[in-house]
Structures are given as structure tokens and as C-alpha cells.
Amino acid sequence: MFPFRGRMSSIRENGVGEELDDLKAPLLRPASGGAVTITVTAAGQNSKAAAAADKKVRTAKFKIGDIKCTACTASIESMLKELAGVQTVAISVLDGHAAVTYVPELTTVEKIKETIEDAGFPVEHLSEQDIAVCRLKIKGMMCTSCSESIERALLLVDGVKKAVVGLALEEAKVHFDPNVVDIAGIIESIEGSGFGAVLVSSGADVNKVHLKLEGVDSLEDCKRIRSLLDSAQGVNHVEMDMDEQKVTINYDSAITGPRSLIQLIEEASPGPNIYLATLFVPPRQRESDQLQETRMYRNQFLWSCIFSVPVFLFSMALPMLHPYGNWLSYKLYHNLTVGMLLRWILCTPVQFIVGRRFYVGAYHALRRKSANMDVLVALGTNTAYFYSVYVIIKATLAENFEGQDFFETSAMLISFILLGKYLEIVAKGKTSDALAKLTELAPETACLLTLDAGGKVVSEEEISTQLIQRNDIIKIVPGAKVAVDGVVVDGQSHVNESMITGEARPVAKRPGDKVIGGTMNENGCIYVKATHVGSEAALSQIVQLVEAAQLARAPVQLLADRISRYFVPTFGISVLVIACPCALGLATPTAVMVATGKGASQGVLIKGGDALEKAHTVKTVVFDKTGTLTVGKPQVVSAVLFSSFSMEEFCDLATAAEANSEHPIAKAVVDHAKRFRHKIGSSPDHIPDVKDFQVHTGAGVTGKVGERVVLVGNRRLMRTSEITLVPEKPEAQRVVSFLRSMGITSIMVTGDNRATAAAIARDVGIDYFFAETSPVGKADKIKDLQGKGVIVAMVGDGINDSPALVAADVGMAIGAGTNVAIEAADIVLIKSNLEDVVTAIDLSRQTIARIRMNYVWALGYNVLGMPIAAGILYPFTGIRLPPWLAGACMAASSLSVVCSSLLLQSYKKPLHGREG
């Protein structure tokens, strides 16, 4: 038997795809015998009123007592059927939880509650506070003091429940009560603090389409289209730009979609005037903002150089080149020289025009009673500039006055700071490369099929993937990317899901199997029914998770915030400049951004800086369901004989069976056999014929070679053929062994009986285990370990193990996908690869080490530079730090921190079982 290391159990077959596809599945999902979903049309309810109110549907949740069977739910349904405004009811027979969707204009929560009570059941309304979330792009932040100021300003706004501002990402995520404050009020509070804010997304932007309109020539046309869209079912919000002839529509993908909206607009054309609507893809906000900011700093730096370089030459270079610089010492009046006047003229535009941004920032910071980088730069440059103006005035008025101006200090300082900011923004742009690569996985176009009533294909049309709607049938040809999350309805193939899950082995797909958008179809043509589109797709969910992680602030960042708050000295221009804590503010978020992005590209989704920091302290890892983990790659890594066959004969039989298969693993077996034959210096005259050849999708192949029946496949094929196999877990053994070398203890908790648990633990090298443990019992075991002062990580499937995942210091979900997994786990291992437990902990350790190194870089410049800037060496050596050079040091400090964080991009996994 060839150890293909395929799926060990049919229980998790296609589990990754299924879980990723169910990211938006409802928590109260109907199941056979477990819950009942009822769609009701209230008696006498006006259809037009229902359609108009459809956009304002709400969901109320209840806890209903005394429910013992489906007859109870039927009783409640019969009562609710008579209540106008109720649309659907989902009731869990197991725990009595119910979710009722209703139209607020037609009924109320109290009426629904009274109706259930009249049916003879005690009921409790589970009130949920209406909390909305929005993400904002923040402009004008320079250091950690700025981000803190914005957070404080937001938390002072009535209705804002939580606010997180990310300096490196330059974004804010705000949780607020829409009944108290709106997004405009939140933006106004940020602008009142002296910063710019632009809405990136809100809860209402779940699905949004941008359309370009043609034939809309008058105000009446705009009103007609707007009125039509506002009254359309499933449309939540409409924004029209009459000047650009563009419309932006937020919609519910379960009810409508982009093509339906385009058709609706075009069918509204009045008479000879024809409306046309086409898809418009606006530039990505983050990329366009970053490009604009990069250009701004570059242009400001170049403008400053136009004036600063001559100032530097007139003050530092030419005076030392006799006789070329003698003309600068020519006295115009009293002791006012040509050099002084030129330096004043050239420095003034840099100080007040190019450097205006520092004045504006300093004004707002001082108004908030805080000091940030702008305050330090403004103090430093103003002191140098106005002291130099004083020198010029004194030299003009007094015949015997001799003084040195410092115009070059002011001009060069501003130039160096702008250069540092420009290089910093360019470097920070590279930290989000992983997100850009994730978003580029989805194909641009798809082949849409139109079917007749009998299910036969009537036509094919190539459309943009952004126009795909739920329930569309999409044709995926061999070699093409899967355009959408969905279910295979026709055809068979193998899909390479490595770009999403990291799993190198293509997965067999047949009708009923789920596929993930962005994955690659290998060798067959399949028809896919779209189930999750837009922001509901697995790829979008992963991107959102990584973005949330990059925005979250790690606890170690609080140290930098405290240092920055008190790191503003009050003496000396050079000291003021070099003391700016910019690098401290960048030390943690840039490292977290790179680490989370790198982790995502390797199949490890880290849900924020808190999880990233905790993981490096883990001393015990608790595993569950070790035997269900998947391993494998489409290459034969070893061949072991368990019978009297010779290896040559064994390879010939396997080659004969696999030669007729197009599966990548079949090709790997044939290639391995050929390499083996070549290695021993022999080759068969011909490949034996195979009879009764049969493909077992997702399991392997069988056939008859001569008088022998040959089976080549995974454990499922062997089990169905009643062939007994010894359980092997090489991946688990390697992981447990490697964790032990890292000083981490492995423990197994399982619901299996003690004998089975002992055998599994012995096979994989685990010394401690707990058997016959319930889901709640697993959480109790973890709490017992924590009570002994141990930092515990829990590794589970994220569904049955959710109590334990929540109880652990770090929860790791094997197989990303379900809402429960995302909510319960701190880290999601989307490859279902046990080796990524090691990757997550090792990446955490590397990141924390890098953050500490960043602090060394950031504080090193300040600790070493501040005493020199203050003049501590001057009495002994005559060496002092000019303010312009202090500015260069400050810029180098920030740049070195960002570059230090970018070194995490070269991170390599400590274990390479899947790749090597």
C-alpha cells in the first residue's frame, strides 16, 4: 500500500470547503427534528404594504419555555399565522430559542410576545442593543499621540460604545448606537480633533454595487430612477451622483442582485429615451489614499529641497570653499551679509508654506492639551527660525553685533522629516501585500448559464464576477478559477484549494459538493450554483478577518503609548526634535500587520494583536480529535510493503491501475514507479492491461490486473473494501515532538473511551490525556490547568469544542468556516493542518521578538541621541548634534522600525511537512 496520507475519515471530507462556505450561515439553522422554519403570510396583509416595508424587516429573538416536540412549534405557528407583519419564524426544539422576522410598521415585539403567551407557552424577549459598526480612513495622523487623541474624542461622543484607531493601518473601527449618533456625527467629532475622516464601510455596506448611467439627461430621469430603486424589494440604500451620472446601491443579496437592478433601471426607460446601466468599479479606497498620500509627501519633500539645498550650500558648503564662497560674506548694511539675507529668503517658504501642516497639527494637538510630533517639530523649527530672524534684525541695527543664524536648521529639519514620512509610507504600503494578494485570487469574469424548465442549457454569457447573483448557475471549465462560492449541480472534477486552504492535494468535487471562490478547477467541467456572493463569500470573510486583526491593538502596544505620552522633554531644539516618539508608535502595529498578513498567506488567521501576543507564552497545548486531521500532498513520499511482493512487481501493479486515471495522485504514483524503475536500472516492457477499472471519487481506483484485484487509494477505499489498516498519525507525531522541543507540553482531551484514547495518545507521543470528556468537561479541564498557572492553547474543530476554545488562553480552530469557529477561536487554521499549531506559536514568538527589537531601535535613537543633543559631550569633545541632524536621526528611527518589521516577510515555517 502506498501511504498517500489522504483524508483519514469521511467525517471531515470536504470539511474545509463546507465550513468556509458557511461563514454567513444563520445561528438558528433549521435541521431535521431540531428546528422548524415557517414562512407565513398574514391574513389580510396588503401585498403592496408588505413590499414597501420589506426593506425594514427586523428580527426579534425569544426564549420560549415548555417546548417538548414539533407539535409545540406547530401550535405557536398557528397563532403567529394570524398576526399581521410576521414573515418568518425559526424555533429550536432543543433549547426553545426562537427568531421571528417581522415588519415594524405592521406589528411589534410586544404583540409577538403576547401571541406566544396566548398559545400557552412562557416566553422571554431576548433584547439586543442595536449596535452598528463603521470603518473610517483617518488622515493626518503622525504618531501614537494622534491615534490616542482620536480614540479619546470618539469615546466622548454620546452613543459610541467602542473605538479602535490603528496608526499603521490609518483606520478607525467604531461601534456605535445608531439611535443616538450617526456616522456623520462620528466624522464630525474626528474633524473637530483636527484630523480628516472618510467613510470606508459600514454595516449597511454588506453588499454594494456601483453603476454608471447613460441616457439620464434630466432631473426627472434621476427622480424616476431613484424612486424606482427606493421602492424595489431588497434595496437598502441608494446614492446618486448627478454630475458623474453614477449610482451606488446597497442591497440584500438574498432578495436581489446587480443584474436585477441593472434590468430594473433599463426597463424603466420612458419611450424614446433609453436608459443604460453598466458596472462601474471605483478605485480601491485604501490604495488610492495611499498613493495620494505618497505623492503629497514626495511633492512636499521635493519643494522643500528646492529651497533647503541652496540654504545648506550657502551656510555649510560654500563658506568653506575659498574664494568661491567669499561673496556670501559681503556686508549689505552693518553686519547684515548677503548669505544671511539669502538664507532668510529661501528658508521662509519652507517654514511657513511647506511646513504649514506642522502648524495646523500642533494647533489641534495643543487645543486637545496634548503634545505630538507636530508640536515638537513646530517648537524646534520656530525656535531656530525666529532666533535667526532676531540675529538678522540685530545685525542690521547694531554695527558691532556678530551672531550665527540657524536658518539651515529649520529648513533641513523640515526636509528630513518629510523625507522620513515619505519613506515610512512607502514602507508601510508593503505591509499589506498579503491582503492585496488575497483579493486578487477571485477571477474577473465568469460564464453564466441560462437553463430552460427542463434544466437544459439555453445560452452562455460571459459576465463580470461582480454581477453574479445568488442561485446563478456558473460554468467552470478545466483550468479556470471557481468564480463564486457555491454547490456543484452537474459534472465532476478535482479542485485545487491550496490558494485558500493551503491544501496541496486537489479535492474531488461532484454534485452536492461545495466549492470556494478563487480556487482552481483542475480537470473537469462543472456547473456551480452560487450560494454566497459579495461580502458573504469565504474569500471576503478571510480578508475582513485579516483587516480586523491588523486594526486591533496588541497589549504590548500600551507600553509604547505610555512611553510616548511622557517622552516630551522641554529643553533644546535638537532635544525637542530627536525626542519625537514616532518610532515607538510604529514599533508594534507595523510588526502586527506584517505578521498577520504573513500568517494569512500561510493559512494561519490571527484575530488580532491580543491573540498574537498571548500565543508566545503558551506552555501547554490541548488537542482534540487528533485522528480526524487531514494530511497529504500529491507526491509519494514513501512506499512500504506489508506482504511478500517484490517492490518491482508492486510498482507495476500500481502503475497499471493508475495509468487510466487523470487524478493528480494517480500521476504521482505513476511518476514514483517510473523513478523507482529508473533508479534500479530496469523498466517494464509494457504496462499490463487492467480490467474492470473503476473510479471511486474521493477515495481511489480499483481494477483487475491479470488474476489480481488491485486497490489504490486512501483509507476510506480500504475500509469500504474491508481491508484492515493500522492507524498512523505521522503528522501528529512530528508536531507533538516539535512542541516538546519548544518546551511545550501536549495533552489530548477526547470523548472516546479510555482504551481508544490511550492507544491514540501512545501512537502520537502524548503523555497526558483525558478520555470520555464532554464539551463542557473539556472547558473544565482547561480551567483546571489554568488554575495551576499554566498558559493553555486549545486546538479543536471550532464547533463541538467551542466552550473549550473560549475557555483557553488561546483558542485555535482546525478548519476555518463556521460562525462558531470564528467567534470562539483566537486563531483559525484554515488548512486543517496540525503543523500550523507550531506555525502559529512560532510566528507569535518571532513577532514579539521583532517588536522588542523595534523598541530597541526606537528607544536607541532617543536614549543615545537625547544626551548628545542636550550637549553632554560638548564640554569634553566639542561635539554637539545640530538640530537638522537630529531630524535626520528621527526620520531614520521611524524608517528603521518599519524596515525591521518588514523582515517578518521572510518568515519560514519551522515544519514543512506539507510543502516539502
Side-chain angles (χ1 to χ4, degrees):
M1 180 190 73
F2 282 101
F4 303 121
R5 300 184 184 177
R7 277 177 163 74
M8 300 299 182
S9 170
S10 61
I11 295 173
R12 289 191 59 82
E13 182 183 6
N14 298 329
V16 173
E18 179 177 348
E19 293 186 353
L20 277 171
D21 210 14
D22 284 342
L23 281 167
K24 298 296 289 184
L27 290 177
L28 279 171
R29 81 175 55 182
S32 131
V36 178
T37 301
I38 309 147
T39 302
V40 296
T41 303
Q45 180 174 320
N46 184 282
S47 60
K48 286 188 177 181
D54 188 61
K55 302 189 295 295
K56 300 179 181 178
V57 170
R58 290 186 182 178
T59 301
K61 295 184 179 180
F62 302 89
K63 172 68 175 177
I64 305 175
D66 296 343
I67 291 184
K68 299 176 181 178
C69 60
T70 54
C72 299
T73 62
S75 174
I76 298 173
E77 177 261 342
S78 64
M79 297 290 290
L80 289 174
K81 187 180 293 185
E82 304 299 324
L83 187 62
V86 173
Q87 292 196 335
T88 63
V89 180
I91 306 173
S92 172
V93 181
L94 299 177
D95 57 14
H97 282 86
V100 181
T101 58
Y102 67 99
V103 180
E105 295 178 1
L106 302 175
T107 190
T108 64
V109 172
E110 286 302 318
K111 288 182 180 178
I112 296 172
K113 183 180 177 182
E114 290 174 3
T115 302
I116 298 173
E117 290 174 341
D118 291 343
F121 297 90
V123 60
E124 176 186 359
H125 176 222
L126 303 177
S127 60
E128 296 182 0
Q129 191 175 17
D130 193 7
I131 298 295
V133 181
C134 69
R135 285 175 52 225
L136 304 167
K137 175 71 175 178
I138 307 297
K139 298 180 179 180
M141 288 195 297
M142 302 291 283
C143 61
T144 187
S145 176
C146 300
S147 60
E148 280 192 313
S149 299
I150 296 172
E151 281 189 6
R152 288 196 297 268
L154 287 170
L155 292 174
L156 290 175
V157 177
D158 289 339
V160 172
K161 305 300 179 183
K162 181 183 178 182
V164 180
V165 180
L167 175 64
L169 205 58
E170 295 183 329
E171 286 188 3
K173 186 175 183 179
V174 185
H175 299 250
F176 63 98
D177 185 349
N179 299 317
V180 179
V181 66
D182 58 9
I183 294 175
I186 293 172
I187 293 177
E188 185 179 348
S189 69
I190 296 174
E191 292 175 343
S193 300
F195 301 93
V198 178
L199 179 65
V200 175
S201 65
S202 66
D205 295 342
V206 174
N207 286 291
K208 177 191 291 187
V209 64
H210 304 270
L211 300 177
K212 179 75 174 177
L213 303 177
E214 295 181 24
V216 182
D217 303 321
S218 65
L219 185 61
E220 280 300 317
D221 291 332
C222 292
K223 287 181 178 179
R224 180 181 291 108
I225 293 174
R226 173 133 201 172
S227 175
L228 187 69
L229 292 172
D230 281 334
S231 61
Q233 288 196 12
V235 174
N236 298 323
H237 184 65
V238 179
E239 291 181 8
M240 293 195 70
D241 186 339
M242 293 178 59
D243 297 330
E244 296 289 333
Q245 290 196 337
K246 295 173 184 174
V247 60
T248 301
I249 309 167
N250 295 341
Y251 62 92
D252 184 349
S253 63
I255 301 174
T256 188
R259 293 200 321 281
S260 298
L261 296 172
I262 290 174
Q263 183 180 356
L264 188 69
I265 293 172
E266 294 180 346
E267 289 178 351
S269 303
N273 193 14
I274 299 176
Y275 296 155
L276 292 177
T278 55
L279 185 68
F280 167 71
V281 182
R284 293 177 182 172
Q285 186 68 35
R286 181 178 297 170
E287 292 180 1
S288 60
D289 288 345
Q290 184 185 359
L291 182 61
Q292 182 180 356
E293 191 174 17
T294 303
R295 287 176 177 171
M296 180 193 72
Y297 277 110
R298 183 196 63 190
N299 294 339
Q300 287 187 347
F301 169 68
L302 292 177
W303 274 110
S304 69
C305 285
I306 291 174
F307 298 99
S308 299
V309 171
V311 171
F312 177 77
L313 293 175
F314 294 160
S315 61
M316 307 291 289
L318 286 179
M320 299 180 182
L321 300 175
H322 301 287
Y324 304 107
N326 293 347
W327 62 277
L328 292 170
S329 300
Y330 178 76
K331 294 183 179 180
L332 295 174
Y333 186 77
H334 288 174
N335 286 320
L336 176 64
T337 65
V338 173
M340 284 184 179
L341 185 61
L342 287 176
R343 289 192 290 271
W344 186 18
I345 293 172
L346 291 170
C347 176
T348 300
V350 178
Q351 182 70 35
F352 297 106
I353 299 177
V354 178
R356 178 180 179 273
R357 57 169 291 107
F358 300 110
Y359 286 97
V360 174
Y363 165 74
H364 288 292
L366 293 174
R367 199 180 69 172
R368 298 189 303 267
K369 299 180 181 180
S370 65
N372 62 359
M373 172 182 163
D374 294 326
V375 174
L376 296 175
V377 174
L379 282 173
T381 57
N382 275 323
T383 304
Y385 180 84
F386 286 109
Y387 172 77
S388 300
V389 171
Y390 164 76
V391 169
I392 283 185
I393 295 173
K394 194 72 173 176
T396 304
L397 298 178
E399 296 182 12
N400 300 322
F401 177 80
E402 291 185 4
Q404 175 66 43
D405 66 90
F406 293 98
F407 286 118
E408 80 282 354
T409 294
S410 170
M412 294 299 293
L413 175 58
I414 290 174
S415 297
F416 272 118
I417 290 172
L418 291 174
L419 174 62
K421 291 299 293 183
Y422 169 70
L423 295 176
E424 177 187 316
I425 290 169
V426 171
K428 281 198 298 185
K430 299 182 183 298
T431 62
S432 55
D433 283 347
L435 277 182
K437 290 177 182 177
L438 282 173
T439 56
E440 291 169 1
L441 286 177
E444 294 183 358
T445 61
C447 181
L448 175 68
L449 300 180
T450 303
L451 308 180
D452 60 16
K456 295 182 179 179
V457 177
V458 176
S459 65
E460 298 182 6
E461 179 186 3
E462 187 176 17
I463 63 170
S464 168
T465 52
Q466 297 189 37
L467 293 177
I468 296 177
Q469 300 183 178
R470 189 174 293 185
N471 298 323
D472 280 347
I473 305 298
I474 306 297
K475 178 181 179 181
I476 313 294
V477 298
K481 286 186 176 180
V482 177
V484 66
D485 291 11
V487 179
V488 177
V489 294
D490 190 22
Q492 295 187 10
S493 182
H494 288 85
V495 176
N496 186 342
E497 299 180 342
S498 61
M499 59 281 295
I500 298 291
T501 66
E503 175 64 63
R505 180 168 58 90
V507 181
K509 300 294 181 182
R510 53 188 174 182
D513 290 340
K514 297 184 178 181
V515 293
I516 310 170
T519 56
M520 182 67 71
N521 184 28
E522 291 278 330
N523 53 12
C525 182
I526 53 177
Y527 294 172
V528 175
K529 182 178 181 180
T531 57
H532 293 69
V533 296
S535 61
E536 299 173 357
L539 190 59
S540 297
Q541 293 287 315
I542 293 173
V543 171
Q544 292 172 30
L545 191 59
V546 175
E547 285 180 336
Q550 292 183 344
L551 188 61
R553 177 179 297 175
V556 71
Q557 172 70 16
L558 299 177
L559 173 62
D561 295 345
R562 287 194 294 269
I563 295 173
S564 301
R565 194 175 302 157
Y566 302 110
F567 214 76
V568 182
T570 56
F571 57 92
I573 302 172
S574 298
V575 178
L576 278 172
V577 172
I578 205 169
C580 181
C582 290
L584 279 172
L586 293 168
T588 297
T590 53
V592 170
M593 282 184 68
V594 177
T596 53
K598 188 65 176 178
S601 68
Q602 299 195 9
V604 179
L605 294 182
I606 304 170
K607 294 174 61 177
D610 192 14
L612 189 66
E613 183 177 353
K614 280 183 181 178
H616 92 284
T617 62
V618 167
K619 292 299 180 185
T620 297
V621 176
V622 178
F623 293 99
D624 177 75
K625 295 186 177 179
T626 313
T628 66
L629 302 179
T630 59
V631 291
K633 91 182 247 79
Q635 177 180 346
V636 177
V637 294
S638 65
V640 182
L641 285 172
F642 297 98
S643 65
S644 58
F645 280 96
S646 67
M647 185 59 76
E648 293 90 336
E649 186 179 11
F650 180 56
C651 287
D652 290 346
L653 291 172
T655 300
E658 293 283 49
N660 295 318
S661 174
E662 296 182 354
H663 194 283
I665 288 183
K667 296 176 182 178
V669 171
V670 174
D671 290 342
H672 176 80
K674 289 180 178 179
R675 285 196 305 270
F676 174 77
R677 279 286 192 177
H678 180 74
K679 183 178 179 181
I680 63 175
S682 67
S683 60
D685 296 332
H686 69 280
I687 298 176
D689 294 330
V690 61
K691 298 178 180 179
D692 300 329
F693 178 79
Q694 187 175 0
V695 176
H696 303 269
T697 305
V701 298
T702 59
K704 192 173 182 181
V705 181
E707 298 300 321
R708 294 188 176 97
V709 176
V710 180
L711 293 82
V712 185
N714 59 17
R715 291 179 181 274
R716 191 174 69 174
L717 178 64
M718 304 303 163
R719 281 198 303 270
T720 55
S721 303
E722 299 182 352
I723 295 176
T724 305
L725 297 175
V726 177
E728 296 181 6
K729 298 172 186 68
E731 182 188 53
Q733 292 174 355
R734 295 181 65 217
V735 171
V736 170
S737 176
F738 199 91
L739 288 173
R740 187 180 293 113
S741 70
M742 297 172 69
I744 298 174
T745 303
S746 298
I747 297 175
M748 187 179 72
V749 179
T750 179
D752 291 336
N753 60 63
R754 186 173 183 82
T756 302
I760 294 174
R762 184 170 55 253
D763 288 342
V764 300
I766 291 179
D767 298 325
Y768 307 99
F769 66 89
F770 299 101
E772 301 177 2
T773 309
S774 66
V776 177
K778 295 174 187 176
D780 293 337
K781 297 295 183 184
I782 287 176
K783 291 175 182 177
D784 291 341
L785 291 170
Q786 291 170 329
K788 299 175 183 177
V790 178
I791 305 298
V792 182
M794 171 67 191
V795 184
D797 62 13
I799 302 173
N800 299 327
D801 304 316
S802 56
L805 288 169
V806 173
D809 296 284
V810 179
M812 298 185 188
I814 291 288
T818 62
N819 284 323
V820 177
I822 289 179
E823 290 297 328
D826 301 297
I827 297 173
V828 184
L829 311 178
I830 61 174
K831 292 166 43 174
S832 294
N833 185 351
L834 195 61
E835 292 168 356
D836 283 337
V837 174
V838 174
T839 302
I841 297 174
D842 184 66
L843 179 60
S844 171
R845 292 184 176 183
Q846 297 280 353
T847 305
I848 296 301
R850 181 59 53 186
I851 289 172
R852 288 168 178 164
M853 180 60 69
N854 287 351
Y855 282 160
V856 171
W857 280 109
L859 287 171
Y861 280 92
N862 293 71
V863 171
L864 295 177
M866 282 178 58
I868 299 175
I872 192 171
L873 298 180
Y874 187 74
F876 311 104
T877 63
I879 297 175
R880 62 182 179 182
L881 192 67
W884 64 269
L885 187 55
C889 290
M890 186 193 73
S893 174
S894 297
L895 186 61
S896 63
V897 164
V898 175
C899 292
S900 173
S901 294
L902 284 172
L903 290 177
L904 285 170
Q905 288 280 18
S906 61
Y907 172 80
K908 302 293 184 185
K909 289 184 175 185
L911 286 174
H912 300 279
R914 289 281 181 105
E915 289 75 21

